[in-house]
Amino acid sequence: MITRLLLRDARLQTGPVVDELARRVARPKSTVQSYSNAEFDQIKLAAQRRFRTALRRIEDNARHLQRWREGAFAKDGRDWVIGEALDILARGEDLPQYVDKNGRETLVVKYRKALGGAGAEATWQRLFLSRMEAVALGVLLLAEYGWNLSVIDRAETPQASPDPGEDGHPTYRIPLNKPRRGVGHHHETRNVTDDGAASQGRLITQALQATRFARAIVEDLAPGTNRLVVWHAIRVSRESMDWDRHPPVGGFHFGIDTAAARTWARAEGLGGSPFRRGRRTVIAVDRREPGQHSQDTHDRQYVLIDKRVQADAVEVIAAGAQDAANRAREAILVAELRDTPNPRDTETATADCADYDNSPFPAPDGGCGASFLMCLACANARVHPGHHPRLAHLHLALANLRSALPSAVWEADWGEAHTRLADLKNKLGDGVWAQALSRVTDADRDLINHLLTGVLDT
């Protein structure tokens, strides 16, 4: 960008400076590496432990509040007072306080005694996530969906499908905001279904349950805010000076920033923020497919530079190379090419055999146990111009079968034979092969038809 700006100056458009400005400088490669399985499992376990504890707490108190609203408790009993306190919090109001003799605001005794204290754990955390619990939710969203921190920070509330189907399982439409993708590509949507504990949509259901009271209050105070990750601050703070972030609404904040992620990691006894390395782990190692980016970015920025992927690929590449070599040896033409037939050889459907009794594919009762298609893979076979027409026709017939059969079936039954014939065609040349096709007789067609239909096997 600076180069383009400098080149607008007429004094910098001639001479050696032009060559210097034209020199391309490679973008520095990322030094971020993926986690090991053990490291990432530890991070996910820490996030699950913190978030699920919060979810159970909020669900237990939600049930208590519902029972209070249904009149299930005797008035002024401890359970009734707890229910009343929860109702006050759920409406977005502060619990009643008084000024003690030291001039400090203190929760009134009735609620302090029933709730078991006046701290955050005993009061507002009964219905709302804390900052660290919100980060734990963010880590789980990263692990489940591969979202980066900016996407999680701005994630909007997913909407359940209006017609979830007869099974009643909700399908969530998740709007995603990806600022760095460029103009016209900032927004996309994903659909996930909650059809069980192991399904992708279950985490969305849990996130909505854990934030439902907070989101309801925020919607009353600032309609249209529509953020998924909402948490309650310990104290009401002034409006954030980070203009890229959504400002707080009352005591509620939205999303996750890097500072919160680092604080969470320290509290859990981990290293720095888990989001960059965690996303690389999910995208490059676990899924091995692009997230909210192109295939080219996935390959260059995630896969090729990751040392764990490189290490894991060694055995795969070696095994693939060995398999390719084995298949190449199996599928090349082994039969000997001759200009003329030998009267002592035995004719088969695809070649002549020079030593039937000493076959590399012996039958249990002696002789040769191979099919006629395997003749081209046998060193005892001899192929001369008299075989060319029928073999050219066989090559064409196998190609036609390819369009009529499932790929796996065709590959298993005919793939190697077709490859050997392609090798023969390559050795003979296109001119000889074209002449062979022009000389195919009805007898050749019948012979190949019998070969492909199994008549010759009997």
Side-chain angles (χ1 to χ4, degrees):
M1 293 176 67
I2 295 176
T3 296
R4 289 198 296 268
L5 177 64
L6 293 175
L7 285 174
R8 297 177 185 174
D9 192 314
R11 297 169 296 174
L12 303 178
Q13 295 175 359
T14 59
V17 71
V18 175
D19 295 333
E20 185 64 23
L21 290 176
R23 184 167 60 88
R24 296 181 64 85
V25 179
R27 178 182 298 177
K29 292 183 178 180
S30 172
T31 58
V32 177
Q33 295 294 316
S34 61
Y35 289 109
S36 68
N37 287 337
E39 289 173 325
F40 200 48
D41 286 345
Q42 181 185 6
I43 290 169
K44 290 188 290 186
L45 182 61
Q48 289 168 352
R49 184 168 52 241
R50 189 180 286 259
F51 174 70
R52 289 176 181 174
T53 298
L55 178 61
R56 285 194 297 269
R57 180 189 72 233
I58 293 171
E59 286 296 285
D60 289 345
N61 283 281
R63 285 190 290 270
H64 192 103
L65 174 59
Q66 183 61 33
R67 294 186 64 197
W68 180 86
R69 288 174 173 172
E70 293 171 352
F73 305 119
K75 189 171 183 179
D76 294 329
R78 180 173 182 271
D79 286 336
W80 190 92
V81 175
I82 292 174
E84 184 184 43
L86 293 174
D87 185 64
I88 294 171
L89 292 170
R91 295 198 305 268
E93 300 174 6
D94 294 330
L95 294 175
Q97 297 181 332
Y98 70 96
V99 179
D100 63 16
K101 60 183 180 180
N102 296 316
R104 293 177 300 190
E105 290 188 345
T106 306
L107 185 64
V108 299
V109 175
K110 178 177 78 168
Y111 295 111
R112 186 169 67 248
K113 183 177 180 181
L115 295 173
E121 298 85 353
T123 55
W124 58 261
Q125 281 189 15
R126 288 175 175 267
L127 295 181
F128 312 123
L129 293 178
S130 69
R131 182 177 181 233
M132 293 297 95
E133 290 164 348
V135 176
L137 170 58
V139 172
L140 296 180
L141 292 170
L142 154 73
E144 183 66 45
Y145 306 117
W147 298 346
N148 63 24
L149 186 58
S150 67
V151 171
I152 296 170
D153 185 46
R154 296 171 173 81
E156 297 180 4
T157 306
Q159 299 297 318
S161 169
D163 182 15
E166 296 180 359
D167 55 12
H169 297 148
T171 294
Y172 298 105
R173 180 179 178 274
I174 307 175
L176 301 177
N177 181 24
K178 190 71 173 177
R180 290 188 294 177
R181 292 189 67 177
V183 177
H185 302 282
H186 289 171
H187 303 283
E188 65 177 68
T189 58
R190 298 292 176 90
N191 293 326
V192 295
T193 299
D194 177 4
D195 56 6
S199 63
Q200 274 202 315
R202 177 51 56 93
L203 181 58
I204 296 299
T205 298
Q206 293 174 338
L208 293 174
Q209 290 172 334
T211 60
R212 65 185 185 274
F213 292 106
R215 287 184 292 106
I217 295 171
V218 168
E219 182 62 24
D220 286 340
L221 297 175
T225 301
N226 193 31
R227 291 299 178 92
L228 174 61
V229 181
V230 186
W231 50 276
H232 194 289
I234 294 178
R235 60 183 61 86
V236 177
S237 60
R238 292 178 298 176
E239 186 170 317
S240 172
M241 296 305 294
D242 185 349
W243 303 113
D244 290 333
R245 300 183 59 76
H246 196 292
V249 174
F252 297 96
H253 294 243
F254 309 96
I256 305 162
D257 60 15
T258 302
R262 289 172 179 164
T263 302
W264 178 85
R266 287 195 298 270
E268 297 293 347
L270 305 171
S273 169
F275 285 93
R276 292 186 66 194
R277 292 186 67 189
R279 176 169 164 78
R280 181 176 297 282
T281 305
V282 174
I283 297 298
V285 180
D286 293 347
R287 297 189 178 180
R288 304 194 178 189
E289 62 182 22
Q292 295 84 49
H293 50 259
S294 68
Q295 184 67 49
D296 181 61
T297 298
H298 176 70
D299 294 337
R300 288 187 296 104
Q301 302 297 329
Y302 287 86
V303 176
L304 296 178
I305 64 174
D306 191 83
K307 296 186 184 302
R308 183 178 167 194
V309 174
Q310 294 169 2
D312 291 345
V314 171
E315 291 186 6
V316 176
I317 294 172
Q322 185 62 47
D323 180 66
N326 292 340
R327 290 182 64 82
R329 284 193 291 270
E330 292 172 357
I332 62 172
L333 180 72
V334 178
E336 182 180 322
L337 299 182
R338 293 277 186 90
D339 292 330
T340 58
N342 187 330
R344 293 189 298 273
D345 294 342
T346 303
E347 185 176 5
T348 74
T350 55
D352 288 351
C353 183
D355 194 355
Y356 176 80
D357 294 322
N358 294 293
S359 170
F361 313 106
D365 56 351
C368 181
S371 70
F372 292 125
L373 287 175
M374 285 297 294
C375 287
L376 300 181
C378 178
N380 292 338
R382 308 290 184 261
V383 175
H384 57 75
H387 299 118
H388 294 174
R390 74 181 71 165
L391 294 177
H393 181 67
L394 174 60
H395 182 256
L396 183 61
L398 292 180
N400 291 335
L401 276 176
R402 192 170 201 165
S403 63
L405 295 174
S407 297
V409 174
W410 183 91
E411 189 63 40
D413 293 344
W414 311 109
E416 291 185 0
H418 185 267
T419 302
R420 292 190 191 96
L421 289 167
D423 190 29
L424 173 63
K425 176 183 177 182
N426 184 60
K427 286 181 168 63
L428 296 178
D430 291 339
V432 173
W433 200 256
Q435 291 178 7
L437 281 173
S438 69
R439 293 189 289 112
V440 176
T441 65
D442 289 340
D444 291 326
R445 295 186 182 91
D446 290 340
L447 179 64
I448 297 305
N449 182 59
H450 292 326
L451 176 63
L452 296 179
T453 56
V455 173
L456 298 183
D457 294 341
T458 61

